[in-house]
Amino acid sequence: MYKILIVEDEELERTSMKIFLEENLLDVEIVGEAKSGFEAVEMIDSKDINLMLVDINIPGMDGMEVIKYARKKLPKAVIIITTAYDDFNIAHRAIKLKVDDFLLKPIRKEVLLESVKSFASRLGEGRQTGKSNKLLSKFEMELKKCSYKASIDILREYIDQLYLEEHDVNIISKRLQEVAKAVVRISEELGITDTNELVVQMEKLKIKYLLYNNKHDAYNEIIKMVDILFDKMNIKGKLSEGGMKAVIDYIERNLKKGISLEDVANHVNISTYYLSKIFKKEMGVNFITYVTDRKMDLAKEMLVNTDIPVLNIALDLAYNEANYFSKAFKKKTGLTPSEYREKYRNRKEEENETV
């Protein structure tokens, strides 16, 4: 857990930092706010602190003296300097005092968050949640690169890992809200000014406690936010710029809408003949086979992890007739949807019992 002392004489900056950290970190407690060096020393003596954000230019004892004192009293604490002065002497003194990071004002929010989160393992989040934290960082990175397929693949991996690490519904809720906040924050970084729809979806996520018992539903709720983000960006793919990435991303976003080769060709501004030709060359399978295989992957996941009836799964994947879906599914897997559900759900339950 983050137990943070903020040492900052500017009230607006201090309050802004406190609110931002509380909203964007899962396990955080702002244990103190000091507006002078003397107040900071008192809190170092009396509070349980494992991370300090220290402004250098503060009244009374300056920030460096506070850090020097803290290093004696709290040798294992993470100390991050915040300063408006890009000065070599300050940096040199900070190194001598074993300061962990050096943030130059005005501090961008994402830089502050990245700095604090980078010390998670040292502060005890470590081994249990380390893997999911790394996956969350990868998810954010792919979102910033506007890579839909990579984003949702990593998101699924993150949620699988989260449900392995955590069994408390309240902690899962907070972790999912952290993902939702990241989507909103990244949308703003990408220049999306109208984030109301994203914020509404994030608020819905907060109140849907029951869904946290089912990772499939949790995944779908976050996916809704990712879809909104990509719709807002209104990316019109160009094959010459994005290669097959633009094609695959568009297919993934529209798998449940009965997408056709013509739809994709229009999206990337080339002929269906040319797209068909290069798709087979690049992917090793033709367009229809790829789309069918991806739909079957989604169907398998829903059959094992939900109680959604086969008819509804078929409709959800844009199959108008359940019989046609069942035939396609059996052709790919050798089992009917019901047989597949029974076989692999039983196997999953046996595996859970042995864990």
Side-chain angles (χ1 to χ4, degrees), residues 81-243:
I81 282 179
T82 63
T83 179
Y85 303 104
D86 189 6
D87 185 279
F88 173 78
N89 290 327
I90 292 176
H92 183 66
R93 290 176 67 193
I95 291 169
K96 289 185 71 174
L97 290 170
K98 297 181 181 178
V99 167
D100 296 283
D101 205 355
F102 188 100
L103 303 182
L104 197 61
K105 294 181 178 181
I107 304 167
R108 286 166 40 218
K109 288 181 176 180
E110 62 270 22
V111 172
L112 173 63
L113 190 61
E114 184 179 339
S115 175
V116 173
K117 287 173 73 173
S118 69
F119 299 104
S121 59
R122 184 165 147 191
L123 300 181
E125 284 198 354
R127 297 173 71 180
Q128 186 183 13
T129 62
K131 186 172 181 181
S132 60
N133 282 337
K134 287 178 182 176
L135 287 169
L136 181 55
S137 296
K138 284 175 68 178
F139 168 69
E140 292 179 15
M141 182 176 68
E142 293 300 334
L143 269 189
K144 290 175 184 178
K145 287 158 60 177
C146 304
S147 179
Y148 183 84
K149 176 69 163 61
S151 297
I152 63 170
D153 285 348
I154 294 168
L155 176 61
R156 184 180 295 279
E157 193 177 348
Y158 169 81
I159 288 177
D160 284 343
Q161 182 63 31
L162 172 60
Y163 276 74
L164 283 174
E165 292 174 353
E166 303 291 354
H167 304 288
D168 185 326
V169 70
N170 293 313
I171 293 176
I172 291 172
S173 167
K174 288 181 180 179
R175 297 284 293 276
L176 291 173
Q177 287 167 37
E178 186 179 22
V179 181
K181 288 172 184 175
V183 175
V184 175
R185 187 178 71 254
I186 289 166
S187 72
E188 292 170 348
E189 291 174 22
L190 292 172
I192 296 170
T193 54
D194 179 13
T195 59
N196 288 344
E197 199 175 350
L198 281 169
V199 172
V200 168
Q201 180 61 27
M202 182 171 69
E203 292 302 315
K204 286 181 182 177
L205 189 66
K206 287 182 182 179
I207 60 174
K208 290 187 176 180
Y209 288 107
L210 291 176
L211 70 85
Y212 301 129
N213 290 319
N214 187 316
K215 67 180 180 181
H216 174 79
D217 290 343
Y219 172 77
N220 282 339
E221 290 299 316
I222 303 291
I223 279 291
K224 287 177 186 176
M225 294 191 68
V226 176
D227 284 342
I228 292 168
L229 187 154
F230 276 80
D231 288 342
K232 294 286 184 184
M233 286 193 289
N234 192 26
I235 295 174
K236 184 72 173 175
K238 289 188 175 9
L239 206 59
S240 59
E241 295 174 3

Side-chain angles (χ1 to χ4, degrees), residues 267-309:
H267 180 73
V268 294
N269 301 313
I270 61 173
S271 71
T272 53
Y273 171 77
Y274 181 61
L275 176 59
S276 178
K277 186 177 178 181
I278 63 166
F279 192 96
K280 177 72 181 286
K281 181 181 177 182
E282 293 286 332
M283 304 304 295
V285 294
N286 64 35
F287 174 83
I288 292 174
T289 300
Y290 179 86
V291 170
T292 302
D293 286 348
R294 287 295 297 122
K295 285 186 175 184
M296 294 303 114
D297 289 341
L298 293 178
K300 289 175 190 176
E301 200 273 334
M302 285 190 273
L303 286 166
V304 174
N305 292 306
T306 77
D307 293 316
I308 299 172

Side-chain angles (χ1 to χ4, degrees), residues 17 32 34 61 65-66 103 153 162 169 184-185 193 196 210 235 244 246 249 259 272 283 311 325 330 336 338 344:
M17 207 178 292
M61 291 173 66
E65 290 300 316
V66 170
L103 303 182
D153 285 348
L162 172 60
V169 70
V184 175
R185 187 178 71 254
T193 54
N196 288 344
L210 291 176
I235 295 174
M244 288 305 294
D249 280 358
I259 191 170
T272 53
M283 304 304 295
L311 173 60
F325 164 70
K330 186 168 184 178
T336 67
S338 297
Y344 287 95

